[in-house]
Amino acid sequence: MFRQSGKRISCRMIDKSTLTKPINKKVLLCSAGMDSYIINKLEKPDVCLFIDTKSNYSGIEKEWVKEFKEHYNNLVVLDDVLDLSMVELDNFIVPVRNLFLAAFGTYFGDEIILGATYGDRSTDKDYTFQGMMNGILNYIYGKGHWCEGRNINFNLKYKEWTKEDLIKEFVKQGGDVIELVKYSFSCYTPDEEDEACGRCKPCTRKFLSILGATGIDISKYYTNSPREYFTEKVIQQWLADLQDPINRRGRESEETERTLNKMLGDN
């Protein structure tokens, strides 16, 4: 069960004297989620930047990354620079959030990594967005009267990777699946004890991708078991829903179908 430790991470002041010249550092725009945790381990960035956007779940994510800060490369937490709570939708989407995060990333480095993966369908996680952001950021930081000129590389290095791809590479490089349970947090609707609910989209995608990639059922590590949520009726409904093109996530959906069908066979 997750508890806040009372530890504090001071918000690092931005060194304004560095903004006008190249900052040869790699920045990962991180969250407390599994994808960020894995990408941090694979990339070993100079800065892991977490920005509390005041969304419904960013508060618990902030406490989570602070609790396990030793697992993030050079974690920087910005607590009070961005409040997007007034625009968060009922489905937990925060419009144009990644535009703001990318801009803040340039205050710490020239290479900005957004941990978008193959199954992400939001337009602020696609290649068109990447190209537009690079255009505008390099225009702003172009050589001029106030700036020596910087080459900003905002990238989606893992856009062709599914969650299973990430997990398999993480394990290949010596990572332990238990780390993903203990040190990452993916839940939109945690319970009153700040435990993952086991049935929202982030919870179920994490459960299914780990099961599909490794065969390991992580349910035993949770109070709210994802496996108990996936009754035969729920699995059948998921499989039916995946046939609707609006719900398809390409290869990730194919991987999900394989895992769900195996679960059906094991029932």
Side-chain angles (χ1 to χ4, degrees):
M1 180 167 58
F2 173 68
R3 295 292 188 194
Q4 295 183 16
S5 67
K7 299 177 184 176
R8 296 182 62 83
I9 295 180
S10 297
C11 201
R12 177 179 301 180
M13 296 302 294
I14 296 171
D15 183 354
K16 290 183 282 189
S17 67
T18 69
L19 298 178
T20 63
K21 54 190 176 183
I23 307 175
N24 298 313
K25 291 184 178 180
K26 181 192 301 183
V27 180
L28 172 63
L29 300 173
C30 80
S31 69
M34 178 179 68
D35 296 352
S36 280
Y37 184 88
I38 293 175
I39 293 172
N40 167 65
K41 295 298 183 181
L42 300 181
E43 286 290 325
K44 299 177 176 59
D46 298 294
V47 176
C48 275
L49 178 61
F50 179 89
I51 300 175
D52 182 3
T53 62
K54 312 303 180 186
S55 69
N56 278 313
Y57 59 94
S58 64
I60 190 171
E61 280 201 302
K62 177 180 67 176
E63 295 304 323
W64 195 275
V65 297
K66 288 165 66 176
E67 175 77 7
F68 301 113
K69 64 182 184 296
E70 66 273 14
H71 294 278
Y72 294 86
N73 273 42
N74 199 12
L75 178 67
V76 173
V77 176
L78 298 183
D79 293 282
D80 297 308
V81 297
L82 187 62
D83 185 347
L84 299 178
S85 60
M86 76 291 289
V87 296
E88 183 177 13
L89 306 180
D90 291 341
N91 58 5
F92 303 105
I93 289 175
V94 181
V96 306
R97 174 177 54 187
N98 289 327
L99 184 151
F100 290 108
L101 300 188
F104 272 102
T106 65
Y107 299 151
F108 297 91
D110 290 335
E111 181 181 359
I112 318 299
I113 302 172
L114 179 66
T117 58
Y118 189 89
D120 290 324
R121 297 174 297 177
S122 300
T123 51
D124 64 350
K125 293 181 179 180
D126 66 16
Y127 291 127
T128 300
F129 176 72
Q130 172 186 288
M132 290 178 173
M133 286 305 301
N134 272 316
I136 194 168
L137 292 173
N138 280 287
Y139 177 72
I140 291 171
Y141 285 109
K143 188 173 183 180
H145 70 282
W146 69 275
C147 185
E148 294 179 12
R150 291 170 55 187
N151 180 24
I152 305 297
N153 175 19
F154 173 71
N155 65 60
L156 310 178
K157 297 178 74 169
Y158 294 89
K159 184 60 179 170
E160 299 304 314
W161 294 48
T162 66
K163 288 181 179 296
E164 286 196 20
D165 291 336
L166 281 175
I167 294 164
K168 289 175 181 177
E169 184 63 25
F170 172 71
V171 172
K172 180 180 178 181
Q173 294 195 23
D176 188 335
V177 168
I178 306 306
E179 290 181 63
L180 305 180
V181 178
K182 293 175 63 177
Y183 305 129
S184 71
F185 186 83
S186 305
C187 183
Y188 281 158
T189 54
D191 65 20
E192 293 180 355
E193 299 297 325
D194 287 337
E195 296 279 3
C197 71
R199 58 183 59 207
C200 69
K201 182 167 68 175
C203 281
T204 51
R205 289 179 75 191
K206 179 177 182 178
F207 166 75
L208 291 171
S209 58
I210 291 176
L211 183 61
T214 67
I216 296 174
D217 184 341
I218 61 173
S219 292
K220 64 182 179 181
Y221 300 105
Y222 290 87
T223 300
N224 306 307
S225 166
R227 186 62 184 86
E228 290 181 7
Y229 164 70
F230 280 104
T231 63
E232 182 173 344
K233 181 178 179 180
V234 169
I235 293 174
Q236 294 284 13
Q237 185 60 58
W238 269 59
L239 288 169
D241 289 344
L242 283 170
Q243 303 314 306
D244 186 339
I246 199 171
N247 295 321
R248 298 296 294 183
R249 296 174 182 266
R251 285 193 299 117
E252 185 170 302
S253 290
E254 295 171 6
E255 293 169 351
T256 299
E257 286 174 328
R258 284 198 296 269
T259 302
L260 290 171
N261 279 312
K262 187 176 187 305
M263 290 166 67
L264 271 181
D266 292 341
N267 281 348

